[in-house]
Amino acid sequence: RSLRDAPPTHYVLKIESFSQLLEILRKTNVKRYESGEFEVGGYKWKLLLFPCGNEGEKGEAHISLYLAISNINSLPPGWEINATFTFFIYDQIRDKFLTVHDSILYFS
């Protein structure tokens, strides 16, 4: 249990056709998809989706999804952000949600 001042916020990234996204990325030789920017807690964020895994993190053969801060260069020196988040990833084949809850401390 915990209490917090900040209200929860959500952002939905909906991919209509995962296979079509894979094909577009493959044709353009791009390894990841970046969502549009969204604002939470006064900061701008984006989601980074690696449909074939993030090879740099040894995440091959599965989807890698990250929460990233946008415009880090615009933040003041010595900035620090503690983010608590939950990913709900819908699996259409199984009609189930994979839920990943985590927190991370970002700092300069």
Side-chain angles (χ1 to χ4, degrees):
R1 289 186 181 208
S2 65
L3 295 174
R4 66 186 224 172
D5 294 326
T9 305
H10 70 275
Y11 176 78
V12 175
L13 172 63
K14 185 174 183 179
I15 298 169
E16 294 292 334
S17 172
F18 192 77
S19 58
Q20 187 176 27
L21 174 64
L22 281 173
E23 186 62 28
I24 291 168
L25 293 177
R26 192 174 301 121
K27 282 182 180 178
T28 57
N29 199 30
V30 175
K31 301 277 186 202
R32 72 180 188 195
Y33 173 81
E34 292 187 15
S35 75
E37 285 187 343
F38 55 96
E39 189 171 326
V40 177
Y43 300 100
K44 295 198 183 281
W45 304 86
K46 60 186 170 183
L47 295 176
L48 306 178
L49 172 68
F50 293 78
C52 298
N54 183 355
E55 295 171 7
E57 296 290 328
K58 297 183 177 47
E60 299 170 29
H62 65 273
I63 296 170
S64 296
L65 182 62
Y66 300 92
L67 177 65
I69 301 170
S70 289
N71 296 331
I72 289 178
N73 297 332
S74 67
L75 297 173
W79 60 269
E80 183 176 295
I81 303 168
N82 187 8
T84 301
F85 57 93
T86 304
F87 291 139
F88 295 93
I89 302 156
Y90 180 62
D91 180 343
Q92 283 184 297
I93 295 170
R94 294 176 184 87
D95 193 29
K96 303 272 184 212
F97 285 91
L98 169 64
T99 305
V100 179
H101 182 78
D102 204 352
S103 67
I104 189 164
L105 176 65
Y106 294 95
F107 58 93
S108 65

